[in-house]
Amino acid sequence: MSTARPRFAPRAVLFDLDGTLLDTIADLAEAANRMLAELGRPPRPQDEIHRFVGKGIPNLVHRCLTEGSAASEAEIAAAVPVFRRHYTVVNGVHARLYPGVDATLQAMRARGLRLAVVTNKAAAFTLPLLERTGIAGYFDTVVSGDTLAVKKPDPAVLHLACARLGVSAGQALMIGDSANDALAAQGAGMPVLLVTYGYSEGMPVDTIECDGLLSSALQALDYIDPA
Ligand SMILES: O=C(O)COP(=O)(O)O
Ligand SMILES: [Mg+2]
């Protein structure tokens, strides 16, 4: 039995960054392990750090220091600038566009859709990364993890992106990889599609409520009515 695929007629598409547009795990893991080494702590395997990505850098650092080990709040606070110093150096070195992403962004622009990035990554890292990977020019606006005092899953960041794009939440479509994206979209009242290849904090992506699963970003085009 098959369920009909829903179709949407958005005027704007909001994209998550890490795990949706860009495969950034190698750089994040490198920075995390350089931080752990500097703090005299053992390294962690990349697939473990993979589960820690999704709620921004302070959360990633917190989990690197406290899962299976102990750290005081002061140690965690002191480690955040250490991570940021290392990530500044390695951000974008290994990061790659996922297959189909460039063609998807191009096709969406050709259809007249306005595009935004809404990421939990801090702005200091988001903008250089979009430049280094050659996709900055596709986006009309970028909302980062420290643009507001709240991040995804708080819908406020999606509302801000919509306001900057001049569309209502109901005229936008969110594309992400985690429950943070799905909950933010549902809170804002917009449909959400999730890619199955990203970072979902160890949660099987098909257990997260959403309007469709994508094994390639290109499949998003099948959910969008031509203008
Ligand atoms: O920085 C993170 O933790 C995740 O960033 P994202 O929101 O682009 O997936
Ligand atoms: Mg993500």
Side-chain angles (χ1 to χ4, degrees):
M1 201 178 84
S2 70
T3 333
R5 180 189 294 139
R7 304 277 294 190
F8 306 107
R11 290 182 50 211
V13 182
L14 315 184
F15 282 95
D16 169 63
L17 183 59
D18 294 84
T20 298
L21 296 172
L22 296 179
D23 186 0
T24 53
I25 190 61
D27 295 338
L28 288 164
E30 174 78 35
N33 279 324
R34 287 187 188 193
M35 171 194 74
L36 290 169
E38 188 172 320
L39 301 177
R41 291 170 178 258
R44 291 183 181 269
Q46 183 173 295
D47 55 350
E48 191 175 67
I49 296 170
H50 190 279
R51 288 191 288 107
F52 300 166
V53 175
K55 290 195 170 68
I57 288 168
N59 184 265
L60 170 66
V61 170
H62 185 277
R63 295 185 72 180
C64 282
L65 265 56
T66 60
E67 295 227 351
S69 60
S72 66
E73 284 307 315
E75 284 172 303
I76 297 164
V80 171
V82 177
F83 176 90
R84 291 177 68 106
R85 173 157 44 77
H86 290 298
Y87 194 45
T88 301
V89 175
V90 300
N91 180 28
V93 171
H94 301 289
R96 293 290 175 267
L97 289 180
Y98 286 107
V101 163
D102 197 73
T104 303
L105 296 173
Q106 223 167 40
M108 288 180 172
R109 293 299 307 206
R111 290 188 189 190
L113 292 161
R114 309 210 72 203
L115 304 181
V117 170
V118 183
T119 176
N120 280 351
K121 186 188 288 297
F125 304 108
T126 304
L127 303 177
L129 188 53
L130 293 173
E131 293 290 349
R132 279 174 206 168
T133 51
I135 56 172
Y138 285 117
F139 299 103
D140 299 292
T141 192
V142 176
V143 178
S144 297
D146 53 357
T147 303
L148 295 179
V150 293
K151 301 177 173 59
K152 297 173 293 183
D154 194 306
V157 283
L158 304 193
H159 285 304
L160 176 61
C162 288
R164 287 179 175 178
L165 296 175
V167 301
S168 67
Q171 293 172 320
L173 168 68
M174 176 76 199
I175 301 180
D177 67 339
S178 75
N180 301 312
D181 302 310
L183 291 170
Q186 286 147 5
M190 69 179 70
V192 58
L193 305 174
L194 294 180
V195 301
T196 55
Y197 52 73
Y199 318 143
S200 46
E201 299 179 287
M203 203 182 286
V205 70
D206 58 4
T207 65
I208 303 170
E209 195 182 326
C210 68
D211 298 284
L213 291 171
L214 314 173
S215 58
S216 155
L218 278 167
Q219 292 175 354
L221 300 171
D222 300 335
Y223 286 82
I224 299 176
D225 279 334

